[in-house]
Amino acid sequence: MKYDVVLFTGMTGRFWNAKPLGAYRVATELRKHGYSVKVVDFISNWLSEPTAFFKLLNLVIGPNTLFVGFSGTFFSSRNITSEIKNYSDFFGQWQVWPTSDHRMDLYLKHIKKTFPHVKTVYGGISITNQLELVAKYVDFVVSGLADVTIIELANHLSKKTSLKYMIGTNGGKIISHDTKALSFNFPESKVEYREEDHIFPGEILPLETSRGCLFKCSFCAFPLIGRKKGDPEYHKHLDSMANELKNNYENHQVNTYMIVDDTFNETTNKIEDLLKARDKSGVNIKFSAYIRADLLIRFPEQIKLLNELGMVSAFFGIESLHRPSAMAIGKSTHPDKIKDLFYKLKQDWTGDELRTLGSFIIGLPEDTPDTLDTWLPWIENSECPIDMLNLNPLHLSGTSELALNPEKYGYTIINNHNHWQNKHWTFDDAKKY
């Protein structure tokens, strides 16, 4: 079949086992507006085999095709034909393409030469500071949440309707309005998967119950951080969630999810609403989610509710157990309370499957090799109640407060935002540590 729109997506590492949400979210909106869409996952695998990639393009692109899009939120700069040598090397190399700029340039030129009527598009919520770079290679760059702007683009290409954009210095057209999708009816939305999306029974699917975050950690570059508590524009209605759960189970035999909300437990009401939606759908679910430890301490009733809802793993961004460092990035809970919480969770969360993951950042303000020595031994101890550990060097990238004002926090940018130094570390020192 030849499609109106072809979207490529994928997480280019080997550390995740769930589809990225973005391409399927915009595909749902495009399909609702009458456009046929093919979403192609595992983009790194396709690009590592050019012959297969070009053959695929011939199968899905036809005279009706408007554009080929690349959903780049989780793209990385590593060479996709080589193995990742270690975890930290991978996370030190986020960039816009899942292969080199040179190779992507060749792929995009092939599309333009073989299908001259087809436009190329790039999008993703994390490309705000890379718009000009990407615009060098593609016809259009769509910045931010694209639920509405992707329809504007499709209508412009198919019906010659007007389109608001600016011209980048390299000539690319940059669509950068409504980046937070304020005009989109998110509360009543859901993601709908089609047969051509090849959803497997038992697959883990992404689930979005809200957008944005109440908090504004200084290292965080996510959009919509610091929004108001309970903002109705960014919370899904109970019926919408119930319908999504029911449809995914009845049509694809899926009841396992990665909840992609920036902070799932931002309010107890959110958890209770998903419980009600689950019961209304008649589908028991299992899920993983991003959880804030300080909220579990303030609202201990959430502990039982999350267990009852079906959580099987929880990702905690703890970042540091040195209080001055944690406070410098916006996390003020005393480390002793954090430790006590995890001992409590080990007792209260039932089920052999339920696991906790603690994520930490090396190189934060006020942390030194000496301060790390005061709290890392607790983490390394086999009796530590945190099941899994994730340590990464600090990234000064995107639009985070740390990246925008590094000097305020004691950092100097050496070469680019992933090569910094302060009085205790360089980026390479933190990565090596």
Side-chain angles (χ1 to χ4, degrees):
M1 178 175 172
K2 312 298 185 180
Y3 294 86
D4 297 327
V5 176
V6 179
L7 299 176
F8 285 93
T9 187
M11 291 186 176
T12 58
R14 59 185 182 189
F15 305 109
W16 297 274
N17 293 287
K19 293 180 183 296
L21 179 69
Y24 295 95
R25 172 87 286 284
V26 297
T28 297
E29 294 310 306
L30 285 163
R31 288 163 176 166
K32 283 170 57 179
H33 284 79
Y35 296 101
S36 60
V37 184
K38 179 62 180 176
V39 181
V40 183
D41 210 337
F42 304 106
I43 184 174
S44 288
N45 300 67
W46 287 104
L47 295 180
S48 65
E49 299 290 342
T51 301
F53 176 62
F54 297 150
K55 183 177 180 180
L56 172 65
L57 294 177
N58 289 330
L59 290 173
V60 296
I61 295 178
N64 59 310
T65 304
L66 301 172
F67 65 86
V68 174
F70 298 86
S71 177
T73 297
F74 295 102
F75 284 175
S76 152
S77 66
R78 73 179 180 88
N79 186 330
I80 55 176
T81 59
S82 64
E83 285 295 312
I84 302 170
K85 292 183 179 180
N86 63 62
Y87 192 73
S88 63
D89 278 352
F90 174 78
F91 281 99
Q93 298 178 21
W94 290 110
Q95 202 189 337
V96 294
W97 301 112
T99 186
S100 68
D101 291 348
H102 172 69
R103 289 187 64 183
M104 280 308 301
D105 195 29
L106 292 176
Y107 290 140
L108 292 166
K109 285 179 178 177
H110 172 87
I111 294 174
K112 299 301 293 182
K113 181 179 179 180
T114 310
F115 312 101
H117 67 289
V118 173
K119 300 300 182 183
T120 53
V121 180
Y122 188 100
I125 62 169
S126 59
I127 63 167
T128 304
N129 63 327
Q130 300 165 327
L131 297 179
E132 289 287 358
L133 173 62
V134 184
K136 174 183 177 181
Y137 296 94
V138 296
D139 295 308
F140 292 92
V141 175
V142 182
S143 177
L145 298 167
D147 310 85
V148 174
T149 49
I150 199 70
I151 306 303
E152 294 176 359
L153 174 59
N155 288 343
H156 171 71
L157 297 176
S158 65
K159 304 173 184 177
K160 310 305 179 186
T161 57
S162 62
L163 179 67
K164 182 180 178 181
Y165 59 82
M166 61 181 184
I167 303 294
T169 55
N170 291 311
K173 298 174 181 178
I174 300 172
I175 302 170
S176 59
H177 63 277
D178 201 12
T179 57
K180 297 180 181 180
L182 291 172
S183 61
F184 178 60
N185 184 7
F186 174 74
E188 295 183 4
S189 70
K190 59 181 181 291
V191 176
E192 295 180 321
Y193 298 94
R194 300 282 181 87
E195 182 179 356
E196 60 262 37
D197 293 326
H198 304 292
I199 307 300
F200 292 90
E203 183 173 348
I204 301 168
L205 291 180
L207 179 66
E208 189 179 35
T209 76
S210 72
R211 285 181 171 176
C213 183
L214 298 179
F215 303 93
K216 200 171 183 179
C217 298
S218 59
F219 64 89
C220 182
F222 286 176
L224 293 174
I225 58 175
R227 64 157 172 74
K228 294 180 180 179
K229 183 177 181 180
D231 189 333
E233 294 180 338
Y234 292 113
H235 287 80
K236 273 193 184 176
H237 292 166
L238 191 154
D239 286 345
S240 297
M241 293 189 291
N243 288 336
E244 189 164 347
L245 297 178
K246 185 176 181 179
N247 289 344
N248 287 339
Y249 189 73
E250 291 182 348
N251 297 327
H252 308 289
Q253 296 76 58
V254 166
N255 68 338
T256 46
Y257 293 96
M258 175 65 201
I259 296 178
V260 297
D261 302 4
D262 293 350
T263 306
F264 176 55
N265 68 321
E266 61 179 316
T267 67
T268 302
N269 286 341
K270 266 188 65 178
I271 305 172
E272 292 173 335
D273 281 350
L274 187 55
L275 264 168
K276 294 173 184 175
R278 180 202 67 180
D279 293 342
K280 185 171 184 177
S281 72
V283 180
N284 287 325
I285 63 172
K286 294 181 179 180
F287 70 95
S288 300
Y290 299 99
I291 302 295
R292 272 191 71 119
D294 56 349
L295 294 178
L296 291 185
I297 294 169
R298 288 176 60 193
F299 308 106
E301 66 273 14
Q302 292 186 358
I303 296 173
K304 182 179 179 181
L305 288 171
L306 290 167
N307 201 174
E308 181 184 345
L309 183 56
M311 190 167 69
V312 293
S313 68
F315 182 105
F316 290 89
I318 303 169
E319 320 316 349
S320 176
L321 289 173
H322 179 54
R323 196 178 188 201
S325 190
M327 292 181 69
I329 59 170
K331 299 202 170 186
S332 59
T333 305
H334 196 285
D336 288 346
K337 291 186 177 181
I338 298 290
K339 293 178 182 180
D340 290 343
L341 170 69
F342 281 96
Y343 287 115
K344 177 177 176 57
L345 295 180
K346 204 68 174 175
Q347 293 178 339
D348 292 357
W349 275 350
T350 59
D352 294 336
E353 292 180 308
L354 210 161
R355 296 288 182 269
T356 56
L357 186 149
S359 182
F360 300 87
I361 299 175
I362 306 301
L364 289 174
E366 311 303 328
D367 256 333
T368 71
D370 288 338
T371 65
L372 263 61
D373 287 342
T374 67
W375 58 267
L376 275 175
W378 180 78
I379 294 173
E380 296 172 331
N381 192 297
S382 61
E383 299 301 316
C384 177
I386 302 174
D387 297 304
M388 299 173 285
L389 301 173
N390 177 40
L391 278 74
N392 291 305
L394 173 66
H395 287 258
L396 296 184
S397 58
T399 56
S400 71
E401 170 68 14
L402 275 171
L404 295 175
N405 300 288
E407 297 83 4
K408 174 182 174 182
Y409 295 88
Y411 295 91
T412 301
I413 305 301
I414 302 171
N415 185 10
N416 59 53
H417 281 75
N418 274 341
H419 287 83
W420 50 260
Q421 67 179 24
N422 64 13
K423 61 184 178 180
H424 304 297
W425 305 90
T426 67
F427 173 78
D428 288 337
D429 290 338
K431 186 168 74 169
K432 183 177 179 181
Y433 191 101

